[in-house]
Amino acid sequence: WARGQKAATEIIRQHREANSGAYPETVAVTLWGLDAIKTRGESVAIVLSLVGAYPVREGTGRIVRFDLKPLDELGRPRVDVLASLSGIFRDSFANVVDLLDDMFERTAAADEPIEMNFIKKHALTLKDDGVERPAARLFSNPPGDYGSMVNEVVGTGDWEESESLGETWKGRNNFSYGRNEGGDGSTSGTARPEVLDLLLETTERVVQEIDSVEYGLTDIQEYYANTGALKKAAENRKGIDPATGRKKKVSLSIIEAFGGPEDADVPVRDVEDVLRIEYRSKLLNPKWRDAMLEQGSGGAYEISQRMTAMVGWSATADVDNFVFDQAAERYALDDEVAKKLQQSNPEAFNNVVKRLLEAAGRGMWETDEDTLDKLRELYSEADDLIEQGSSKTNP
């Protein structure tokens, strides 16, 4: 609870500092099951703190309600929250989902001015448009289903513009949950795309916790497939930024939910900074690379998966050009490394080269034509090697 409050305060401080003192109207917070278990609900505490609420316990210590702090005590507007639930959180913490849903409904109905209560402001807008359940704020996959499918799409390469990845996420996550679902004959897990659309339109920042020192944003597909794609879905609904001529960016704040005493500051970092640190310490680090190569086929697979994730992050956030430059140098253009990868796992090496060519083809990576010609040659050779291996296996 203490760390969650500090994180929310820092999120708001950073946003105001970057936006001439303005408060964010909506912040999207990812609620993942394992994160919640390991941190004892830190991400839930962030949601409560943004709204301006606190847990109420009964005599046994069980939390029975989330009450609102008075505005004069809070001293700022209540920030609206789009809570993006993983399937595991949705299924494992149904009681928390119900308590949060009750809190959002009461906040939307609170006798407060809309300039100090963005949940009420957005709910009234939706109500005026005839949208049912305008206070729905807890969204996830269809009942009994899991995942955004964005990683599957990136894995196959079957997508055109990066905006489509955001829409894939939205299509898989427009189902509302909570105790107030069902009053109109629906059930918990009701598709409410109109509500999600407005929340995405007003989202100015996304928050993701990392709960492990072993696996970070660049190590597994789920981070870009869920949080990165959520960011892209929100950006799809923004206007054009006059300074760039492109759609306005939505910030993504990363919180490391491990280490340090409760009274310590909670660092909140922009995703671009975290990606740079992770790529330099792992994928682009020769020591990490060599350790993976020593693992044979399994290590080659891990390298390959991170190359796919790099394309996913580049599509949904910003990956620096030097990351692609050095990845090509470390894994494809280094003859000795390329040979080891080909020998231990031809399919993994094929994917490494394929992702580099894909990044260049999609405009994610700027490089010279000589480099691209070399990569095309390596890709052709890798394809031939895989075909030869398949022929020997299936004469």
Side-chain angles (χ1 to χ4, degrees):
W1 172 240
R3 278 180 54 89
Q5 288 179 293
K6 289 184 177 182
T9 299
E10 180 62 11
I11 289 164
I12 292 173
R13 187 197 69 78
Q14 289 185 12
H15 184 88
R16 295 189 69 199
E17 187 177 85
N19 293 274
S20 303
Y23 286 94
E25 288 213 3
T26 305
V27 172
V29 181
T30 58
L31 299 179
W32 287 12
L34 293 179
D35 290 355
I37 292 170
K38 291 181 180 179
T39 66
R40 294 180 295 176
E42 189 171 303
S43 55
V44 176
I46 292 173
V47 173
L48 296 181
S49 297
L50 289 170
V51 172
Y54 62 93
V56 176
R57 300 178 185 272
E58 63 177 9
T60 63
R62 184 171 66 95
I63 294 173
V64 294
R65 179 180 168 97
F66 297 139
D67 268 349
L68 300 179
K69 293 180 180 178
L71 283 176
D72 56 356
E73 179 184 337
L74 183 62
R76 60 165 175 81
R78 302 192 192 278
V79 176
D80 204 347
V81 175
L82 163 56
S84 174
L85 317 181
S86 73
I88 294 176
F89 186 98
R90 172 199 66 198
D91 297 343
S92 302
F93 298 102
N95 60 324
V96 178
V97 172
D98 285 347
L99 290 175
L100 286 170
D101 191 39
D102 173 65
M103 177 195 70
F104 283 120
E105 285 284 352
R106 286 185 287 107
T107 307
D111 184 15
E112 297 173 346
I114 59 173
E115 63 270 17
M116 293 298 290
N117 184 336
F118 296 140
I119 297 169
K120 181 176 182 178
K121 175 183 177 181
H122 299 154
L124 288 175
T125 298
L126 289 164
K127 184 178 180 180
D128 290 344
D129 291 339
V131 177
E132 296 178 342
R133 278 275 285 146
R137 293 297 183 271
L138 301 139
F139 286 86
S140 187
N141 309 132
D145 210 344
Y146 303 86
S148 69
M149 303 299 291
V150 172
N151 49 324
E152 282 84 353
V153 174
V154 171
T156 62
D158 188 20
W159 56 282
E160 296 298 329
E161 302 298 326
S162 61
E163 287 78 7
S164 68
L165 300 180
E167 297 314 294
T168 297
W169 179 91
K170 178 182 178 293
R172 289 283 297 171
N173 285 273
N174 63 16
F175 292 83
S176 168
Y177 290 84
R179 69 168 53 160
N180 291 289
E181 288 290 357
D184 57 358
S186 62
T187 59
S188 190
T190 305
R192 301 200 182 278
E194 299 90 353
V195 180
L196 183 57
D197 261 329
L198 182 136
L199 292 173
L200 289 170
E201 182 182 330
T202 57
T203 291
E204 298 173 76
R205 188 170 293 265
V206 180
V207 177
Q208 172 72 60
E209 287 204 313
I210 302 176
D211 66 350
S212 170
V213 294
E214 184 176 0
Y215 291 104
L217 296 180
T218 61
D219 296 318
I220 55 178
Q221 311 297 318
E222 283 72 14
Y223 282 118
Y224 77 78
N226 289 282
T227 312
L230 190 168
K231 176 180 183 293
K232 181 57 66 175
E235 289 173 345
N236 288 350
R237 288 153 179 80
K238 299 300 180 188
I240 300 298
D241 186 343
T244 63
R246 302 170 66 182
K247 288 190 175 182
K248 293 180 180 177
K249 290 286 187 182
V250 172
S251 300
L252 171 51
S253 297
I254 305 299
I255 300 170
E256 294 179 345
F258 49 82
E262 283 197 354
D263 59 352
D265 291 337
V266 179
V268 178
R269 298 186 175 92
D270 289 335
V271 66
E272 292 82 7
D273 294 334
V274 176
L275 289 175
R276 289 187 194 105
I277 293 170
E278 286 198 16
Y279 281 128
R280 284 177 171 137
S281 62
K282 294 182 180 179
L283 188 67
L284 304 182
N285 184 344
K287 291 183 179 180
W288 184 90
R289 176 200 64 189
D290 294 344
M292 289 297 104
L293 291 174
E294 289 177 4
Q295 300 301 314
S297 178
Y301 173 81
E302 292 295 333
I303 293 168
S304 170
Q305 287 297 292
R306 284 160 176 79
M307 295 296 288
T308 301
M310 187 164 66
V311 171
W313 272 119
S314 190
T316 57
D318 291 317
V319 174
D320 295 309
N321 207 67
F322 81 83
V323 176
F324 289 100
D325 286 339
Q326 293 185 24
E329 293 170 7
R330 299 278 195 277
Y331 296 99
L333 303 179
D334 184 310
D335 292 338
E336 183 179 348
V337 172
K339 184 177 180 180
K340 287 182 179 179
L341 286 171
Q342 284 178 316
Q343 290 175 342
S344 61
N345 192 329
E347 289 84 1
F349 179 71
N350 178 280
N351 188 65
V352 167
V353 181
K354 173 184 175 181
R355 297 306 174 185
L356 290 167
L357 289 171
E358 179 183 4
R362 293 186 184 278
M364 300 171 176
W365 176 35
E366 294 182 7
T367 189
D368 57 84
E369 197 61 33
D370 287 344
T371 298
L372 292 176
D373 286 342
K374 177 62 175 174
L375 290 173
R376 293 186 190 106
E377 182 181 343
L378 287 169
Y379 185 67
S380 178
E381 292 174 357
D383 255 356
D384 291 343
L385 188 61
I386 292 172
E387 287 184 13
Q388 291 171 15
S390 178
S391 299
K392 291 177 181 178
T393 306
N394 302 294

